[in-house]
Structures are given as C-alpha cells and as structure tokens.
Amino acid sequence: MTREAVLFDLDGTLANTAPDLALALMALRPPGSPPVDPERVRRATAVGTVALLREGLGLEPDMADYEATRAAFLAHYQRLIGTATEPNAGMIEVLDALEARGLPWGVVTNKPEHLAARVLAALGLNGRARCLVGGDTLARRKPYPDPLLHACRLMGIAPDRCIYVGDDEGDIEAAHAAGMPGLAVAFGYAPPDEARRWGADGLLITPAELLAFLD
C-alpha cells in the first residue's frame, strides 16, 4: 500500500535533543559537580522527565521538592532549547525528499507541545511540519494511539495510509494500536538490539532507509 504521510517521534528520532536536556540538568546540580553521563541522559530522554530527574539529580516523584525542581528544570530547558540540539544526521535530506514527493509529514511526541514547538522552531522546521501533537495535547499520550489518530485527523489522511517512525517501544505500540505501520530507528536513544525486539515493521539504520518503505 502506498503511504500518503509520515509521522515522526521527536526526541531521538527527528532530532538529538539530549544535549540541551543535559545542560538543563547541569544548571540544577551543585557547582563543581561532574558532568552528567551523556549516554545515560540519552536513554533517559526516551523515557521522559521523571527518568531525566532521576538520572541527573537523583530525584523521585514522591520527594518533597520534586515538583519545584521539575518546574525549574523545564524552565531551564525552555531557555536552552536550540543550544546544542541538532537534527539527526540525514534527517533534513529525508524531509526534503518527502516534500519533493508531495508527502506531508508531522510530529507526534510525548514532549509538552509548547516545548516541542520551540524545538521545531530552533531547527527551522516549524513551518514545514503539517501537524504537531504533544504529550499534553490530548488526555492520553503514547503508547495510546490517540495522538497518532489525532495527527491523522489534522492531516486529513486515514491512519492506514500513514507510517510512524520512533525510537521507543511505546512508539511502535502506539502505531500498531492506531492501525499504521511502525518503524523503529537504530540511530535513536535505544540500543539497536533492543529496538529489534519491539515487533516493529522495520528497523531503520539511517533516516534515508525510510524512503524505501513508502512505495
């Protein structure tokens, strides 16, 4: 079946956002603290804020100062967005190729929508994405299918005509629940061997390999 649109996860799939998140964590650590481990931050980024605060600051949601620290972390991150975030290598060329074919693309992420919008703006992509659905756009986020189905409605394209690309098992689960193929990426925040176990419809070693799945 010919696909008519592509939806992407953001963190780890469309772009490497972990460096800016690491900077936000460092802003909250005591002066003189060693840098946070980049690889551990990358993996925590795939899970979300709870994992990032646990990894970078040793905080758990039941701690008294968790909510205040979470708010401070997100404020630092919002200020730092675009400092070191970059599209994954080869991704801009893939977006160019999609647009040359007349295929719309969009972003479905668990990141809060306003932060995701700032990331896209920092990358110069905010005017190119046909839709953006964040983790707080709807009542439920991935791995529920709701955000992907909402993105399809925004684009006016049936779910089975779309394809979703992500770097987390929840991305593949959400895609299948929405009735669309889900492709895992080997260049995201999960190890390739782990990604191979998710039951995805394909594993992309590079972004360019996506184009072969669209015909």
Side-chain angles (χ1 to χ4, degrees), residues 12 31-32 65 71 73-74 105-106 114 120 163 171-172 174 181-182 186 201 204 207:
D65 56 348
F73 167 71
L74 292 176
W105 61 272
H114 74 285
L120 291 180
I163 196 165
D171 295 330
I172 306 306
D201 298 283
L204 306 181

Side-chain angles (χ1 to χ4, degrees), residues 1-201:
M1 178 183 294
T2 301
R3 304 299 164 185
E4 298 178 6
V6 179
L7 296 170
F8 294 94
D9 172 53
L10 181 56
D11 301 273
T13 301
L14 195 68
N16 179 17
T17 58
D20 286 348
L21 290 161
L23 290 173
L25 288 172
M26 286 302 299
L28 294 173
R29 287 162 67 94
S33 295
V36 292
D37 185 321
E39 284 305 312
R40 298 182 73 168
V41 171
R42 282 172 58 88
R43 195 66 190 97
T45 299
V47 181
T49 302
V50 172
L52 284 163
L53 294 180
R54 178 183 297 122
E55 187 62 50
L57 303 173
L59 283 179
E60 297 292 345
D62 59 354
M63 293 182 175
D65 56 348
Y66 179 84
E67 287 302 328
T69 304
R70 178 182 179 276
F73 167 71
L74 292 176
H76 280 297
Y77 176 57
Q78 180 168 316
R79 175 177 57 84
L80 291 163
I81 284 175
T83 303
T85 288
E86 294 182 342
N88 279 323
M91 186 58 73
I92 296 299
E93 291 79 2
V94 167
L95 299 181
D96 291 342
L98 293 178
E99 292 168 3
R101 295 184 182 196
L103 295 177
W105 61 272
V107 173
V108 178
T109 174
N110 278 351
K111 185 188 289 292
E113 185 175 340
H114 74 285
L115 294 178
R118 291 178 72 95
V119 171
L120 291 180
L123 298 174
L125 298 175
N126 54 325
R128 297 175 61 176
R130 181 69 62 87
C131 67
L132 169 61
V133 180
D136 57 355
T137 303
L138 304 174
R140 300 196 303 183
R141 62 182 196 166
K142 300 178 299 180
Y144 290 101
D146 309 36
L148 292 174
L149 295 173
H150 183 61
C152 291
R153 287 192 293 269
L154 291 174
M155 292 192 296
I157 297 174
D160 64 356
R161 294 284 181 173
C162 295
I163 196 165
Y164 187 53
V165 184
D167 73 327
D168 184 75
E169 186 172 13
D171 295 330
I172 306 306
E173 182 180 342
H176 290 166
M180 67 180 70
L183 299 180
V185 304
F187 50 84
Y189 293 150
D193 287 346
E194 182 178 324
R196 289 187 176 93
R197 298 194 294 267
W198 296 342
D201 298 283

